[in-house]
Amino acid sequence: MSEYNQAVAKEVNHLAAINNIGFIKYEQGDKEAAIQQWQQAVKINNQSAEATLALAVALYSQGEQKQAYYLAETALKLDKNFAEFHWMKKNLWGQSMITDAQKFLSTPPMRTLLSQLR
């Protein structure tokens, strides 16, 4: 965490560091802080499929379904690989995040979207 904070201190828009701080915060149970990190990451680069999908999963877990579905559709149109759990693990998503992503991606609207993208 300190390395990511140092990276952000040196470069305020360091996308990878901001994104990874979000993942750490999420795994620590601080979903609000994680959401803030991913919102910042998406502001920096709205073409970041990973940050956008992570934000969608976090918002869904907080009950914000409509926004979550919209963001997930945007993210998966950018890079549908993030719908694959082995891809999430490869990109160092934590277990809490992957579990919540599995729940989210198994909802009927997400299954419909994924079948359209495949």
Side-chain angles (χ1 to χ4, degrees):
M1 180 70 114
S2 65
E3 289 180 28
Y4 294 131
N5 285 325
Q6 288 173 5
V8 173
K10 290 179 185 174
E11 182 188 337
V12 95
N13 290 333
H14 194 294
L15 183 62
I18 292 167
N19 200 37
N20 288 334
I21 290 169
F23 284 113
I24 292 168
K25 294 287 187 185
Y26 198 90
E27 292 302 312
Q28 292 175 336
D30 192 349
K31 291 181 181 182
E32 287 301 322
I35 288 169
Q36 290 173 1
Q37 292 296 310
W38 291 318
Q39 286 172 331
Q40 184 179 353
V42 171
K43 280 183 187 175
I44 293 167
N45 180 358
N46 66 0
Q47 299 296 302
S48 173
E50 182 175 33
T52 305
L53 185 60
L55 178 57
V57 170
L59 289 172
Y60 181 81
S61 76
Q62 300 288 83
E64 296 183 41
Q65 294 180 354
K66 186 175 182 179
Q67 188 176 9
Y69 288 130
Y70 170 77
L71 288 169
E73 181 177 2
T74 301
L76 295 172
K77 284 181 178 178
L78 290 168
D79 188 347
K80 65 183 177 188
N81 288 318
F82 279 102
E84 304 296 330
F85 302 112
H86 70 275
W87 190 262
M88 292 175 188
K89 282 187 175 190
K90 181 181 172 186
N91 284 278
L92 306 177
W93 287 38
Q95 192 55 52
S96 294
M97 191 73 198
I98 290 173
T99 299
D100 287 349
Q102 287 174 319
K103 290 176 191 172
F104 178 51
L105 295 173
S106 67
T107 63
M110 291 308 302
R111 285 197 314 255
T112 299
L113 173 64
L114 292 170
S115 68
Q116 292 169 354
L117 293 174
R118 290 192 173 117

